Amino acid sequence: MCRLVVVTRQLRPVGGTVQTDIDPRSLIGRKAFDRNGAKIGTVDEVYLDDATGEPEWAAVRTGLFSRDAFVPLEPSELAVEGLRVPYDRKLIKDAPDFGVGRHLSPEQELQLYHHYRLDISAPVSDSRSPSPGED
């Protein structure tokens, strides 16, 4: 459902529009902070929605055993000091660990949505076209 945008070492256009007003190219290497301002780690990678091309998840290197934690970019916001994620540090560090550097499957993305208690009533990103008679 989400593809990895490899902009960790090279800056290149990633396509798509950014509804969250966060440019994925500007996130790599930025510090990430929880809702209370506690440092979580550093943004390692950005994942785009397959259907829309919009940035959806960031992998944040937490420093704890060099683990990356996935955080949602919506409703996070980019501030002067870095990426502010509106969740507690513990919840972020307890996020499912899928490793980084590869595509997130629909099942993995669904686990992340559940973990952060995000609304999944709207389609997460179903890139298939409806069949005839299906709406």
Side-chain angles (χ1 to χ4, degrees):
M1 291 217 107
C2 282
R3 70 181 182 274
L4 165 67
V5 178
V6 182
V7 290
T8 55
R9 302 291 178 258
Q10 55 188 341
L11 296 178
R12 62 183 175 82
V14 293
T17 58
V18 182
Q19 278 187 333
T20 60
D21 294 331
I22 296 176
D23 180 355
R25 294 166 293 203
S26 69
L27 286 175
I28 305 302
R30 288 224 183 200
K31 303 282 186 242
F33 301 91
D34 76 355
R35 71 183 322 156
N36 301 313
K39 183 181 171 195
I40 304 163
T42 304
V43 177
D44 234 4
E45 298 175 340
V46 175
Y47 289 73
L48 301 182
D49 182 278
D50 284 343
T52 65
E54 295 173 8
E56 190 165 3
W57 301 97
V60 175
R61 174 85 46 188
T62 63
L64 183 63
F65 305 112
S66 296
R67 177 186 184 275
D68 280 83
F70 285 90
V71 297
L73 290 175
E74 179 64 40
S76 299
E77 57 187 26
L78 191 56
V80 174
E81 68 277 8
L83 182 67
R84 290 184 107 9
V85 183
Y87 299 98
D88 289 326
R89 184 178 181 171
K90 180 170 177 15
L91 181 68
I92 294 165
K93 289 194 175 194
D94 289 342
D97 184 2
F98 303 121
V100 293
R102 57 186 166 262
H103 194 270
L104 281 178
S105 72
E107 294 78 19
Q108 290 170 326
E109 192 173 6
L110 189 59
Q111 286 179 36
L112 289 169
Y113 269 81
H114 285 298
H115 178 77
Y116 288 105
R117 295 186 179 120
L118 294 169
D119 181 18
I120 55 172
S121 60
V124 174
S125 65
D126 188 359
S127 57
R128 67 180 182 90
S129 299
S131 301
E134 182 182 319
D135 286 307

